[in-house]
Amino acid sequence: NYGSGQGPRKDACRGKVLDQEGKPVKRASLLQFGIELEVESQSGRYREYGDSSTTTDDGARDFMDKFNEEVLCLKHDGSLDDGFEIVVQPRSLESWRDFAPEFGRALLDLRSQGFRAWNNSHCGLHVHTSKIAYDGVSHVTRFGLLFARNEEPWIKISGRDTRTEGHNYASFSSLRRGGVANKAKGLYPTAHEDAVNLFSSGQPTTESRIYRPSLAGSGRTIAAIEFQHAAIEYTRNLTARDVAAGYLRWSEFTRYIAEHEYPQAQFVLGGGRFEKVSS
């Protein structure tokens, strides 16, 4: 497998997956999600007990005091004016649901201290998915096509329309022009700003960059992960005939969500909002 003249690349979605005894492993059982959630400080400071001298760095340290580095870390991001990126290590969907209350309390604390995410157009929520959990390149292609063919509804449920926000952090343009199959194979380069990154050299994940983050608890984050989980599992067993018959339509996908255990995604599809107050 070659891409952009950079030589052979390994792709975790290819080949057999065996356990320590040499027995085949179902790729679906390896499905995990990591996130990058960007937050921005208001005027470079946050409010804690009326102390206006507390800086963004202090806010970051306060957040990290709630967790250990095996759970998450914080990083600088060049797209932010004065904030940081919360990077949570990969977890299964069930593990994310168990982690949600603790993570949600920490996000609410950030909001009470003056940080913002939902109301800051520079901030994004990126969901990484383990590439090894896909059943081959054709599965990655179907997953990509589900986004490419449903741009408007994805933008609506994600809460982030970069076309109107003066930047290009999560663009559907290259997916819209076609070539999803070649991007999934690594034959076409995937740009950093693509709405969905299907193949990155040295990165064993796909990355969806479309979501707007929120500090109103963890509901928005879990909803995004549920949408990703549903997109992967819905496209896993589709055939070429299914694709030709229209099973990548948004109505078919949302029917699948309604019939499975995705409560936060269902809440968003029903018009629900986690942001009861400005976040």
Side-chain angles (χ1 to χ4, degrees):
N1 186 24
Y2 294 80
S4 303
Q6 297 180 22
R9 299 176 175 183
K10 293 182 179 180
D11 192 339
C13 74
R14 298 174 182 265
K16 294 181 179 180
V17 181
L18 306 176
D19 64 16
Q20 292 181 343
E21 298 178 352
K23 297 179 181 179
V25 175
K26 288 186 177 181
R27 288 180 176 271
S29 68
L30 304 175
L31 185 53
Q32 293 190 329
F33 306 89
I35 68 160
E36 299 162 346
L37 191 159
E38 297 165 343
V39 303
E40 191 85 73
S41 175
Q42 288 193 143
S43 303
R45 300 180 183 277
Y46 75 85
R47 298 180 298 276
E48 182 178 21
Y49 311 120
D51 181 6
S52 61
S53 66
T54 309
T55 67
T56 300
D57 287 345
D58 292 328
R61 284 190 288 269
D62 179 67
F63 187 85
M64 275 305 303
D65 284 344
K66 298 177 174 67
F67 305 98
N68 66 60
E69 293 183 359
E70 293 180 356
V71 173
L72 59 80
C73 64
L74 305 183
K75 293 184 178 181
H76 170 74
D77 190 283
S79 66
L80 301 175
D81 294 326
D82 190 2
F84 51 84
E85 182 179 76
I86 303 167
V87 182
V88 183
Q89 299 299 325
R91 294 171 170 266
S92 68
L93 176 57
E94 288 308 311
S95 178
W96 266 105
R97 287 169 172 162
D98 291 340
F99 180 54
E102 178 184 2
F103 189 57
R105 287 191 294 271
L107 295 181
L108 284 168
D109 193 31
L110 275 179
R111 185 180 67 171
S112 70
Q113 296 164 351
F115 284 89
R116 295 293 179 263
W118 182 261
N119 289 341
N120 190 303
S121 64
H122 289 92
C123 295
L125 169 61
H126 306 166
V127 182
H128 287 262
T129 305
S130 42
K131 197 76 174 288
I132 199 171
Y134 290 85
D135 287 325
V137 173
S138 61
H139 184 195
V140 178
T141 300
R142 294 190 298 272
F143 171 80
L145 288 173
L146 182 64
F147 287 83
R149 296 185 180 182
N150 297 285
E151 177 179 353
E152 294 300 328
W154 276 115
I155 287 174
K156 182 177 179 181
I157 65 97
S158 72
R160 192 181 197 201
D161 188 350
T162 61
R163 300 170 302 182
T164 62
E165 293 176 349
H167 53 72
N168 204 29
Y169 297 145
S171 172
F172 279 83
S173 61
S174 63
L175 297 177
R176 194 186 311 128
R177 292 194 300 268
V180 169
N182 283 325
K183 282 180 175 288
K185 295 174 184 176
L187 300 177
Y188 283 5
T190 298
H192 178 69
E193 67 272 9
D194 280 354
V196 183
N197 185 332
L198 299 175
F199 192 108
S200 293
S201 178
Q203 182 167 282
T205 66
T206 59
E207 178 190 16
S208 296
R209 302 168 54 86
I210 65 173
Y211 300 100
R212 184 184 293 275
S214 172
L215 302 183
S218 60
R220 183 68 62 174
T221 299
I222 301 302
I225 293 170
E226 287 185 353
F227 276 115
Q228 294 302 116
H229 188 285
I232 292 166
E233 293 308 313
Y234 177 69
T235 56
R236 184 178 298 280
N237 296 315
L238 292 182
T239 65
R241 180 175 294 181
D242 292 332
V243 172
Y247 280 87
L248 290 179
R249 290 193 298 264
W250 187 252
S251 59
E252 298 292 336
F253 175 53
T254 54
R255 182 179 297 113
Y256 176 85
I257 291 176
E259 294 172 350
H260 292 77
E261 189 180 350
Y262 297 116
Q264 303 293 8
Q266 292 166 5
F267 178 71
V268 171
L269 287 172
R273 289 179 59 88
F274 301 97
E275 297 72 32
K276 301 303 182 184
V277 295
S278 175
S279 63

